[in-house]
Amino acid sequence: MLSRAAHALVPAVGRLSVTCDPGAEFAPGSIIAANHSSLADPAIVMAALHRLGVTPVIMATAGLWHIPLLGRALTREGHVPVHRRDRRAAVALDLAAQALQRGRLVLIYAEGGLPRRKDAADAAPGDFRTGLARLAELTGAPVVPVGQAGARRVTSGGTIKQIAGLVTAPLRRPDLHVHVGAPIVLAGDNTVRTARARTAVTTAWRTAAAHLGDPSALVA
């Protein structure tokens, strides 16, 4: 349901384009790692993946499960709540591992949160937390790096600016781009795995930003 909704709604707020590296594929049981820059980008990434025939399980903040109807839909479709800074955070990795073992694709935002910047500009992904590296080690799953650019043109900044951006987006219809990289297999300790994953996602993001002519892609 969420993938179909994103596929239907995202074209109303922006012009979405999608590209893939040669060799990019979504083998069953793969981890999809994407950069996180805006409240809008999960819908944008899901819409892009829907175009490619992919409907992943999403690891998302547990607060979304408290929203009536949405929480039920998330549970029904097998998405994974993440309790940040909580002992239950480890449970999320177990649930994600089970989904991967069933052949599902799991979408994770390894930065663990949004940047604190108020401007609408894109920037390279921030530091990754270790959850992605631990999930890859636990399951041996390949990681598909995904970079998105333009989401901050839809929503960014404080609450009032976020609402204004979402309301005006259908009139502005900003350009949005998602780029899918070739899968990688992480090796080494958690520090090395995390660094390699961040490099791969940064490379995918840089390609997406360059597609939009964003100068941040040149200086990242």
Side-chain angles (χ1 to χ4, degrees), residues 183-209:
I184 60 173
V185 176
L186 301 181
D189 61 23
N190 276 347
T191 300
V192 173
R193 290 171 183 265
T194 299
R196 188 173 179 213
R198 184 187 179 198
T199 297
V201 173
T202 299
T203 299
W205 163 79
R206 185 180 290 112
T207 301

Side-chain angles (χ1 to χ4, degrees), residues 5-213:
H7 176 70
L9 294 174
V10 167
V13 300
R15 293 181 289 268
L16 175 63
S17 54
V18 184
T19 54
C20 299
D21 276 345
E25 63 173 348
F26 296 96
S30 294
I31 301 168
I32 304 171
N35 63 307
H36 196 19
S37 62
S38 164
L39 290 174
D41 66 61
I44 292 167
V45 169
M46 289 179 67
L49 293 176
H50 188 275
R51 286 190 187 182
L52 300 172
V54 175
T55 54
V57 168
I58 304 168
M59 298 184 70
T61 180
L64 295 176
W65 271 255
H66 298 152
I67 301 174
L69 299 181
L70 176 60
R72 294 178 192 171
L74 291 170
T75 299
R76 183 176 62 249
E77 296 184 12
H79 300 294
V80 177
V82 179
H83 298 269
R84 298 191 180 110
R85 303 177 183 87
D86 187 298
R87 68 182 63 182
R88 290 173 292 177
V91 176
L93 290 183
D94 292 337
L95 293 174
Q98 292 169 18
L100 291 169
Q101 290 165 359
R102 295 195 300 269
R104 297 294 305 272
L105 296 153
V106 173
L107 172 60
I108 183 172
Y109 289 93
E111 292 161 273
L114 292 169
R116 297 182 180 275
R117 296 181 294 108
K118 300 296 185 183
D119 60 273
D122 269 296
D127 292 337
F128 276 20
R129 298 181 183 273
T130 60
L132 170 57
R134 288 185 285 140
L135 182 60
E137 181 179 23
L138 180 64
T139 62
V143 176
V144 180
V146 171
Q148 60 77 26
R152 291 184 66 81
R153 302 176 185 179
V154 178
T155 58
S156 60
T159 302
I160 294 176
K161 186 181 177 184
Q162 298 255 12
I163 295 172
L166 192 58
V167 169
T168 61
L171 299 176
R172 298 181 287 111
R173 302 204 67 236
D175 289 328
L176 314 167
H177 191 79
V178 173
H179 181 77
V180 180
I184 60 173
V185 176
L186 301 181
D189 61 23
N190 276 347
T191 300
V192 173
R193 290 171 183 265
T194 299
R196 188 173 179 213
R198 184 187 179 198
T199 297
V201 173
T202 299
T203 299
W205 163 79
R206 185 180 290 112
T207 301
H211 189 90
L212 298 183

